[in-house]
Amino acid sequence: MIPIIHIFELDLLRNNMGELVHIQEPLRLLLSRNNFDLLERRVYWLILKHIKQLQILRPAEVETLPSEFPAFKIPITDLQLPNSSSEVNYSTYKRVAQRLTSRQLYLDSPAQHEFTSVVVFPMARYSRGVLTVEVNKHLVPYMIDLSKGYTKLQLQAALSLNSQYAQNLYTRLCKFLDTGIWRVSVTDLKDILDAQQYVRWSNFKQTVLARAMEEINQKTDIEVFVTEKREGRFITTLIFTIKRQSRKDNKAFDAFNEEMDMVYAQPTEELQSKATQILIQNYRFTSAQMREIVSNETLLQEFIRLDVLIQKGFIDVKTNPTRYIAGILFKKPKVAATK
């Protein structure tokens, strides 16, 4: 018999105090390569939540999980997409069960010369409105280990998304909520969203990025805006500005982007002079850091941009502004443990 860990009799989206439930996705799993589709990621999120509940409510039971292939019962009603008109029927969830057992997750640690390929769900069974899913025992330690960092997601917001691209983008954006800034190359973003087939920037922007951002802004607990950076004729880098949902401010951010385009068009000497004044008046960088900011064109433009974002209220800095900006400008690159 397969050991079954039953879903608790509670509202999956709210705790017993009526507050919205959050899940903590370990960075090792967030940054791993996987081929989950829209529905399968919902299965993964719900199981992640159940395991976290077991850690809190049944800690002794969690200690024994890695020795078994733990299984979870998920009512199909918890998996249906918001506003879905499709009927719950046998053939639909038969196909879901078939696909789940083919999904793999890749854990790559080049620095340690370690690579692991894992079948995520060894068994999936649909019966009478309930999906029973086994989780590979080798993944359980990663699911409960938050020591290497995690991303906090609002479960209700995550489950509200109807697009696979929006799902993937939302999880990555939440990772950068503390700093409010995520700088990523277009090539890397296509890889993250599994959208490499969109070779032309215009197609990727219209079909993938714009739609995913619109859904995130409309349905989730965060707001996101994007600034495009060019190298010659090509858009090569995107800078996302992320904050907790408060009010729709798209027009204001569009005006900000236009303003920054005009600022960047100024001669370098004028930008250096302006940045020097701001640095002296409003910040407490070291002399060496100030010289590096002013002399490095990339750091110069990024500093001016961050300063304007703070002044206009797009970023709510809860710590020292100098420390906040320094953490972005002078962050040391790390060798990724996963890809």
Side-chain angles (χ1 to χ4, degrees), residues 5 7 29 33 45 55 74 90 94 162 168 210 271 275 291 300 302 310 323 335:
I5 301 171
I7 291 177
L29 297 183
R33 292 293 306 279
W45 279 334
Q55 281 186 282
I74 304 175
Y90 173 74
K94 174 184 175 181
N162 288 343
N168 288 336
L271 288 180
R291 286 195 297 270
L300 175 64
E302 189 70 358
I310 293 172
R323 184 183 303 170
V335 178

Side-chain angles (χ1 to χ4, degrees), residues 286-302:
T286 66
S287 298
Q289 288 175 326
M290 289 175 62
R291 286 195 297 270
E292 189 171 355
I293 290 171
V294 173
S295 62
N296 184 303
E297 184 178 2
T298 299
L299 294 182
L300 175 64
Q301 291 188 359
E302 189 70 358

Side-chain angles (χ1 to χ4, degrees), residues 88-116:
V88 177
N89 58 64
Y90 173 74
S91 60
T92 297
Y93 288 97
K94 174 184 175 181
R95 289 194 296 272
V96 171
Q98 288 174 325
R99 291 200 305 267
L100 279 171
T101 55
S102 69
R103 296 317 187 199
Q104 293 177 286
L105 187 144
Y106 308 109
L107 299 165
D108 192 4
S109 301
Q112 287 75 38
H113 298 278
E114 294 180 0
F115 177 83
T116 305

Side-chain angles (χ1 to χ4, degrees), residues 68-80:
E68 304 285 352
F69 281 114
F72 296 82
K73 285 185 175 180
I74 304 175
I76 290 302
T77 51
D78 291 336
L79 290 175
Q80 285 185 289

Side-chain angles (χ1 to χ4, degrees), residues 13-15 18-22 154-156 221:
L13 303 182
R14 295 180 183 274
N15 61 19
E19 299 172 341
L20 289 172
V21 166
H22 290 78
Q154 189 187 95
L155 185 58
Q156 184 184 45
D221 56 324

Side-chain angles (χ1 to χ4, degrees), residues 173-181 242 244 315-316 324:
L173 293 172
C174 285
K175 178 178 181 291
F176 296 93
L177 254 176
D178 286 345
T179 62
I181 295 288
I242 314 121
R244 290 291 179 191
I315 297 177
D316 182 18
Y324 169 80

Side-chain angles (χ1 to χ4, degrees), residues 2-18:
I2 300 169
I4 302 296
I5 301 171
H6 294 279
I7 291 177
F8 299 109
E9 296 297 326
L10 51 80
D11 184 344
L12 287 173
L13 303 182
R14 295 180 183 274
N15 61 19
N16 55 9
M17 299 297 291

